[in-house]
Amino acid sequence: MIEIVGVKFRSDGRIYSFNPAGKKYNTGDYVIVNTARGTECGEISNPNHFVDDTQVVKPLKEIIRRANDADLKRLKENKAKEQKAFKVCEELIPKHNLDMKLVDVEASFDGSKILFYFTSDGRVDFRELVKDLAAMFHTRIELRQIGVRDEAKKLGGLGICGQEFCCTRFLDDFQPVSIKMAKEQGLSLNPTKISGSCGRLMCCLKYEQNAYEHLIQLTPPLHSTVKTSDGVGTVTEVNLLTGMLKVAFSKEEVMPRSYHRDDVKLLSKRNKHEQKDEEIEQENE
């Protein structure tokens, strides 16, 4: 086991692990650390706690010290610089006739660089814009193009569930999400119902996918043939979460009945042509 603390450098950023070097830190404390981008001031997001060595990427950097009043003053000045840089860049973009949308601005703690995040449908030649920004702020300027999911993470907002975006609250990295997940979870394939504000499939489709994949392996699929206590029939309805199946029988005198998946035996699955036809029908809805 190893003792670590979690440090966050932006409100929408990921949490990085650092070695507290034997000191105690509480949530909300500000500390000075060395990063790949140089010296930075971050906020303690997760206080001292122990984790298994395999959960940490080594070598683990140590926290240099607690932030003092001068560090906090510089941090405040950087925030003001970021706001000014954002306004200036927004005014310069139309002057250079650039097809881009400015999303966020980050100033390094030591003032050596200002990073501008933007979105665009294609490649952007921003060389002249960089020259104007460098001449105005007298520091290194970097422009970085991001995707719409990253834009939503930085801007924040409320999802259709009424809660703040998952990517803003706790997601460190985006996980791949596919339309297949929505199909397997029995959700509507209407894009407006399964897409987030960013226009991409909702990240929360991934949360329960492992459970659904496990239940799919245990549950006879729709249109499969099963043996029940009342005879052999065809599955007409499936509820993966409850495990209940509705089975129809070829004999007219036997009405369709409900069974739990544990009480039936799978004899044969639906044929590939039936499955393909159903998928095509769902996609055309």
Side-chain angles (χ1 to χ4, degrees):
M1 301 290 284
I2 184 173
E3 186 178 22
I4 65 170
V5 292
V7 179
K8 181 179 286 190
F9 301 100
R10 305 285 295 187
S11 59
D12 60 339
R14 63 180 297 179
I15 299 175
Y16 296 88
S17 297
F18 285 87
N19 184 348
K23 296 182 180 179
K24 179 70 175 179
Y25 295 99
N26 299 314
T27 303
D29 291 345
Y30 284 87
V31 294
I32 303 299
V33 297
N34 279 326
T35 71
R37 295 170 52 180
T39 302
E40 293 286 346
C41 180
E43 181 182 0
I44 299 294
S45 182
N46 293 330
N48 299 56
H49 61 285
F50 288 89
V51 298
D52 192 85
D53 291 12
T54 58
Q55 299 181 25
V56 177
V57 178
K58 296 181 180 180
L60 192 64
K61 294 184 178 181
E62 293 185 357
I63 291 179
I64 300 175
R65 57 178 173 83
R66 292 180 185 272
N68 54 36
D69 292 340
D71 297 323
L72 297 179
K73 181 181 178 181
R74 176 182 289 186
L75 197 62
K76 186 176 181 180
E77 292 173 348
N78 285 342
K79 295 294 182 183
K81 183 189 293 185
E82 290 171 353
Q83 294 177 0
K84 179 182 178 181
F86 190 98
K87 183 178 180 181
V88 169
C89 189
E90 271 195 323
E91 294 174 351
L92 289 175
I93 288 174
K95 292 182 180 180
H96 289 280
N97 296 318
L98 297 176
D99 182 20
M100 56 187 288
K101 176 186 175 184
L102 187 62
V103 176
D104 195 16
V105 177
E106 290 183 10
S108 62
F109 181 68
D110 59 6
S112 62
K113 182 175 70 173
I114 301 179
L115 180 59
F116 296 81
Y117 294 94
F118 71 93
T119 59
S120 177
D121 293 334
R123 294 180 63 86
V124 180
D125 184 0
F126 47 69
R127 287 175 291 183
E128 294 301 319
L129 175 61
V130 171
K131 291 179 182 179
D132 288 349
L133 291 172
M136 182 167 295
F137 293 101
H138 305 287
T139 188
R140 179 185 170 192
I141 301 296
E142 181 179 338
L143 270 74
R144 184 173 300 174
Q145 186 171 355
I146 61 176
V148 290
R149 297 176 82 186
D150 296 289
E151 178 186 10
K153 178 180 178 69
K154 285 186 170 294
L155 296 180
L158 298 179
I160 59 174
C161 59
Q163 298 190 54
E164 189 179 4
F165 294 159
C166 295
C167 56
T168 302
R169 278 187 296 157
F170 59 86
L171 286 183
D172 289 339
D173 299 305
F174 291 110
Q175 298 294 323
V177 184
S178 66
I179 194 69
K180 178 184 176 183
M181 296 179 181
K183 290 181 180 180
E184 292 180 341
Q185 295 176 31
L187 301 177
S188 167
L189 298 184
N190 186 336
T192 60
K193 294 184 178 181
I194 58 176
S195 299
S197 299
C198 60
R200 299 292 188 268
L201 293 174
M202 293 188 295
C203 295
C204 54
L205 292 178
K206 178 72 175 179
Y207 300 164
E208 299 178 356
Q209 182 60 21
N210 290 339
Y212 275 94
E213 290 177 352
H214 174 68
L215 292 176
I216 287 174
Q217 294 178 352
L218 301 178
T219 308
L222 199 64
H223 305 311
S224 60
T225 302
V226 295
K227 182 178 180 180
T228 72
S229 57
D230 300 304
V232 176
T234 302
V235 177
T236 58
E237 291 183 20
V238 177
N239 188 319
L240 285 176
L241 297 181
T242 63
M244 297 304 296
L245 313 171
K246 180 169 284 188
V247 180
F249 301 91
S250 56
K251 297 180 181 179
E252 295 183 358
E253 63 272 15
V254 182
M255 296 294 293
R257 296 178 182 177
S258 295
Y259 303 88
H260 192 271
R261 58 173 162 248
D262 294 339
D263 299 327
V264 303
K265 180 180 180 181
L266 178 64
L267 297 180
S268 64
K269 294 185 178 181
R270 55 186 173 182
N271 60 60
K272 295 182 179 179
H273 296 293
E274 289 177 333
Q275 184 176 357
K276 187 65 177 178
D277 291 342
E278 181 185 348
E279 290 178 354
I280 294 174
E281 183 181 348
Q282 287 180 331
E283 291 174 354
N284 292 332
E285 287 181 354

